[in-house]
């Protein structure tokens, strides 16, 4: 009966061809729901079709032993490092590639990626300064590069990269030890930009150093691309190799140092009072100041001429960063994640005391506990936040902003901005410091995934947290932009025009839509945790994420990856028409008694013989089962071969349907129903679930959530019939703004047209016309019996 009802209402419409057809030209369906297929790399023994590492997955390892000295007066960092590089690949290597990121600040050794320029609205002096930069001596100076025995190695510096030629082939399973001496001029980060450098405070004459991307470090050599040697332009961040670090930093004796890893010699570099406070913080229930505000202010007033060496160790990390200043207040408290204690700490100057003292370390603790819930348990012993008027992340340490006004007050936006950046940068410990994606190629795998979990963490901090990235409504303005101002999320970092929305907001929003609207939290959370578990301390690619999310959830999401990540389509689903129907019961025809006449349905014969049938028939070696066992030959077999004629006679048969009972049942079932046919169109091109909210005349509401797959047979237009017990007053699409619909003006229907009468006579006829169970084969058998065959 349902099929007949749908047929009567004419639900299937043949509309215009689909837009942005990718796989099936000329069709109005079947494109956006095609599998990604060859768009994704072919699975292999290193990376499986399930999204998991394969049985022969491998990755390289690089261990570092570094000694360096910070010269605050000359603003120079000098270092020497011993690198042990392990070739775990199946390949023979004849050279190694290093990153020299400080060359970003060099006038002649930078990547020299240029954008087009025009005078535009910028002042002439700004344009001239940008187009005619002064020569400088910034960048890394390599003073010595040898093997373990002291033999010099040949190397070539190409902009921000360095190729070191090996004295002998490094075969699979072998390792090599290299020694590099280097130095560079530390740049003013506040003027020249960049992640690392110094900030100078003229009011007290002190520096705050953030030492990041500071040592020559190995590029990643991987199964999916070989050497990752894209130049560093300042945007696309890093793909790095895991290893163990031991680092000794010699700094002015009155400086405090925060760093990746655990300090091995606090007893030598802290005062007895500071050491006692640190030990107290190990079991504290609240934040403990290890260096107090008064001590930090006192240290600002005089500069030590002596040095101290801080020694840190960090295992299984992909990078190492540190900070140094006499301006620091330092506080700490422990957090416990699945029974393991993590020391959460913050370093900040007096300028940030009013915000960082009450919030920073507690935000660090909240972040590692929340991210551990959504991904994997935090594996490191330390997590730190440093106020450095910026936002950047490294293993176990990150640099954030959040300073108060001179009188110690702050605005609400400053507070939430600070909390947001702390959560974001601490969260980067998970993505990409542990789940180690290639930021240089796919910024969204770093920033987008992290922004998504940042949003979840912010929501758990405060239910009124003003999160900017994550809710679907927040991406609408970006999605509305003209196509020539957009690019797919899968665009390489250096080629993105709108970097913030593309790398951060859109992927984070997409994941949130998956979690809340498409998959549901239980399925999504399980799959996302599985991705994090599979790829912790490894090098995942987008395909590994896409495949794992589907593999662990049992959901085919290729349509979503295709639309949200590979295209610039937007969500714009419109209500085109609403038809209101009420049932009307026609009078029964006079002959509708307890019997009826029927003709036997003519058996179907496929007169077309396809190539397989022809070849099977011509192949004399094939014995068909109906030839082998002739008892399988029935009326239909004989009819198909012209051995038995079709019976065209009419037969009177009793109806096995009680007419009066059927009338009563049908009228009872449909007599008080309100039937609505809604026509939807996909104007934005992006297929999404259709969320329909009905408001009834009595003021109650009801929501129907239609999965996106309703578009699979027509990606442009669909209709949907609803049978309601109450009369509908208005209809609204996406009432909770879950799908980032860019045009809400076509999402509502407030005037329901006068009802048209819907004849239910065919339904009654269908009820009467239930099968008697008589088939041509049975009738043929009866005839034969009558004839005495």
């Amino acid at each position: 009966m349902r099929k007949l009802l749908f047929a009567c209402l004419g639900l299937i419409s043949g509309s215009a061809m689909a837009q942005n057809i990718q796989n099936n030209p000329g069709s109005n369906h079947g494109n956006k729901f095609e599998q990604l297929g060859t768009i994704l790399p072919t699975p292999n023994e290193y990376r499986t079709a399930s999204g998991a590492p394969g049985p022969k997955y491998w990755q390289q390892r690089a261990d570092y032993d570094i000694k360096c000295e910070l010269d605050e007066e000359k603003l120079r960092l000098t270092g020497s490092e011993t690198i042990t590089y392990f070739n775990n690949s199946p390949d023979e290597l004849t050279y190694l590639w290093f990153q020299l990121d400080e060359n970003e600040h060099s006038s002649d050794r930078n990547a020299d990626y240029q954008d087009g320029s025009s005078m535009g609205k910028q002042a002439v002096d700004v344009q001239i300064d940008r187009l005619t930069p002064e020569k400088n001596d910034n960048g890394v100076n390599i003073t010595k590069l040898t093997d373990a025995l002291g033999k010099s190695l040949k190397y070539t510096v190409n902009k921000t990269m360095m190729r070191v030629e090996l004295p002998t082939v490094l075969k699979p399973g072998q390792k090599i030890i290299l020694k590099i001496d280097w130095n560079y001029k530390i740049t003013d980060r506040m003027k020249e930009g960049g992640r690392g450098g110094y900030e100078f405070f003229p009011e007290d004459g002190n520096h705050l150093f953030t030492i990041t991307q500071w040592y020559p470090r190995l590029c990643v050599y991987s199964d999916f691309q070989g050497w990752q040697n894209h130049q560093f332009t300042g945007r696309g961040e890093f793909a790095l190799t895991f290893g163990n670090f031991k680092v000794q930093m010699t700094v002015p004796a009155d400086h405090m140092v925060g760093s990746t890893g655990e300090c091995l010699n606090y007893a030598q570099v802290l005062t007895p009072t500071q050491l006692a406070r640190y030990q107290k913080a190990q079991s504290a229930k609240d934040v403990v100041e290890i260096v107090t505000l008064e001590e930090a202010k006192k240290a600002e007033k005089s500069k030590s001429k002596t040095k101290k060496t801080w020694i840190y160790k960090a295992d299984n990390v992909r990078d190492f960063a540190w900070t140094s200043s006499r301006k620091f207040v330092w506080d700490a408290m422990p957090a416990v994640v699945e029974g393991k204690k993590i020391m959460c700490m913050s370093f900040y100057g007096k300028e940030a005391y009013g915000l960082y003292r009450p919030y920073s370390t507690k935000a660090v603790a909240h972040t590692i506990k929340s991210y551990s819930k959504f991904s994997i348990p935090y594996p490191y012993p330390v997590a730190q936040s440093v106020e450095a008027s910026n936002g950047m992340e490294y293993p176990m340490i990150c640099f954030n902003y959040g300073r108060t006004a001179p009188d110690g007050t702050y605005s609400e936006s400053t507070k939430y901005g600070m909390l947001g950046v702390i959560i974001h940068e601490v969260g980067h410990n998970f993505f990409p410091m542990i789940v180690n994606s290639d930021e240089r190629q796919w910024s969204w795998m770093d920033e987008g995934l992290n922004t998504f979990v940042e949003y979840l963490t912010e929501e758990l901090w405060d239910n009124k947290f003003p999160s900017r990235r994550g809710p679907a409504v927040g991406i609408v303005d970006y999605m509305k932009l003209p196509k020539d101002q957009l690019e797919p999320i899968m665009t390489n970092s250096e080629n993105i025009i709108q970097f913030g929305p593309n790398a951060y907001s859109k992927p984070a929003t997409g994941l949130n839509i998956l979690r809340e609207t498409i998959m549901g939290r239980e399925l999504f959370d399980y799959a996302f945790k599985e991705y994090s578990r599979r790829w912790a301390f490894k090098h995942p690619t987008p395909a590994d994420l896409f495949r794992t999310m589907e593999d662990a959830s049992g959901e085919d999401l290729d349509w979503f990856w295709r639309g949200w990540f590979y295209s610039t389509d937007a969500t714009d689903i419109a209500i085109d028409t609403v038809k209101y129907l009420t049932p009307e019961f026609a009078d029964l025809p006079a002959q509708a008694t307890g019997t009826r006449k029927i003709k036997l349905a003519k058996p179907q014969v496929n007169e077309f013989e396809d190539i397989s049938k022809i070849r099977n028939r011509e192949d004399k070696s094939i014995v068909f089962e109906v030839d082998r066992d002739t008892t399988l030959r029935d009326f239909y077999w004989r009819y198909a071969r012209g051995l038995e004629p079709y019976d065209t006679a009419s037969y009177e048969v009793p109806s096995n349907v009680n007419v009066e009972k059927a009338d009563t049942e049908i009228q009872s079932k449909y007599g008080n129903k309100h039937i609505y046919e809604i026509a939807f169109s996909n104007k934005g091109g992006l297929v999404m679930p259709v969320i329909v909210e009905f408001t009834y005349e009595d003021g109650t509401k009801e929501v129907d959530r239609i999965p996106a797959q309703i578009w699979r047979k027509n990606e442009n237009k669909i209709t949907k019939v609803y049978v309601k017990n109450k009369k509908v007053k208005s209809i609204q699409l996406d009432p909770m703004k879950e799908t980032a619909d860019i045009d809400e003006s076509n999402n509502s229907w407030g005037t329901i047209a006068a009802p048209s009468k819907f004849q239910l006579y065919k339904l009654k006829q269908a009820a009467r016309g239930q099968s008697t169970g008589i088939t041509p084969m049975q009738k043929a058998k009866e005839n034969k019996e009558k004839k005495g065959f």
Side-chain angles (χ1 to χ4, degrees), residues 201 203-204 300 327 349-354 387 402-405:
F201 294 80
E203 62 274 15
D204 55 52
E300 287 180 332
K327 291 178 62 64
K350 62 182 185 295
E351 297 81 4
Y353 188 85
E387 201 294 315
R403 296 176 186 174
T404 66

Side-chain angles (χ1 to χ4, degrees), residues 3 19 45 51 128 132 177 201 296 319 349-350 383 543 547 589 615 618 621 680 696 704 720 741 761 775:
K3 290 182 179 178
Q19 301 297 312
E45 57 191 355
I128 292 175
T132 57
I177 297 175
F201 294 80
D319 200 4
K350 62 182 185 295
R547 286 168 167 157
R615 288 175 177 169
E618 293 175 346
S621 67
F680 305 96
Y696 298 106
D704 182 39
K720 183 78 162 62
D741 196 304
Y761 172 71
T775 67

Side-chain angles (χ1 to χ4, degrees), residues 528-579:
F528 193 72
K529 286 172 70 74
E530 179 65 8
Y531 166 71
S532 303
R533 184 195 67 78
R534 285 179 175 182
W535 291 99
F537 302 104
K538 296 182 176 69
H539 304 296
T541 67
D544 301 317
L545 170 64
F546 298 158
R547 286 168 167 157
T548 295
M549 292 300 293
E550 298 188 22
D551 182 71
S553 68
E555 289 287 330
D556 179 1
L557 300 171
D558 278 21
W559 63 271
F560 182 80
W561 311 129
R562 180 186 292 281
W564 196 265
F565 284 79
Y566 286 90
S567 84
T568 57
D569 288 345
T571 306
D572 182 10
I573 301 173
I575 298 177
D576 291 335
T577 59
V578 176
K579 294 180 181 179

Side-chain angles (χ1 to χ4, degrees), residues 144-175:
K144 189 177 182 181
L145 200 164
T146 70
D147 62 14
L149 301 177
K151 182 179 179 180
S152 295
L153 299 177
K154 184 178 179 181
Y155 65 92
T156 300
V157 174
N158 176 25
K159 302 173 184 176
T160 62
M161 314 298 297
M162 177 173 70
R163 185 185 65 236
V164 177
E165 299 179 31
L166 302 179
T168 59
V169 172
L170 185 62
K171 296 182 178 180
Q174 293 184 337
K175 66 180 180 181

Side-chain angles (χ1 to χ4, degrees), residues 662-731:
D663 290 343
T664 302
E665 289 177 349
I666 292 172
Q667 292 194 38
S668 173
K669 186 171 183 180
Y670 295 104
N672 298 316
K673 300 296 184 183
H674 302 269
I675 304 174
Y676 298 89
E677 177 191 288
I678 309 175
F680 305 96
S681 61
N682 179 6
K683 296 181 178 297
L686 191 65
V687 291
M688 272 284 175
V690 183
I691 306 172
V692 188
E693 180 186 69
F694 297 91
T695 301
Y696 298 106
E697 287 189 335
D698 63 4
T700 59
K701 295 178 183 290
E702 182 183 13
V703 174
D704 182 39
R705 294 175 172 271
I706 310 171
Q709 284 76 10
I710 194 172
W711 300 100
R712 68 194 184 281
K713 294 182 179 177
N714 190 322
E715 296 165 355
N716 301 301
K717 291 184 179 293
I718 54 173
T719 57
K720 183 78 162 62
V721 171
Y722 291 92
V723 180
K724 299 294 184 182
N725 294 320
K726 296 185 289 186
K727 193 172 182 180
V728 173
K729 180 180 179 181
S730 62
I731 301 172

Side-chain angles (χ1 to χ4, degrees), residues 43 53 223 228 349 487 613 621:
D223 61 278
Q228 198 299 104
E487 54 270 307
K613 285 183 171 58
S621 67

Side-chain angles (χ1 to χ4, degrees), residues 2 70-71 118 159 229 256 380 439 583 646 657 670 733:
R2 183 179 302 167
L70 172 63
D71 189 329
S118 63
K159 302 173 184 176
N229 51 18
M256 288 292 126
Y380 296 129
E439 304 170 65
Y646 164 59
V657 176
Y670 295 104
L733 288 182

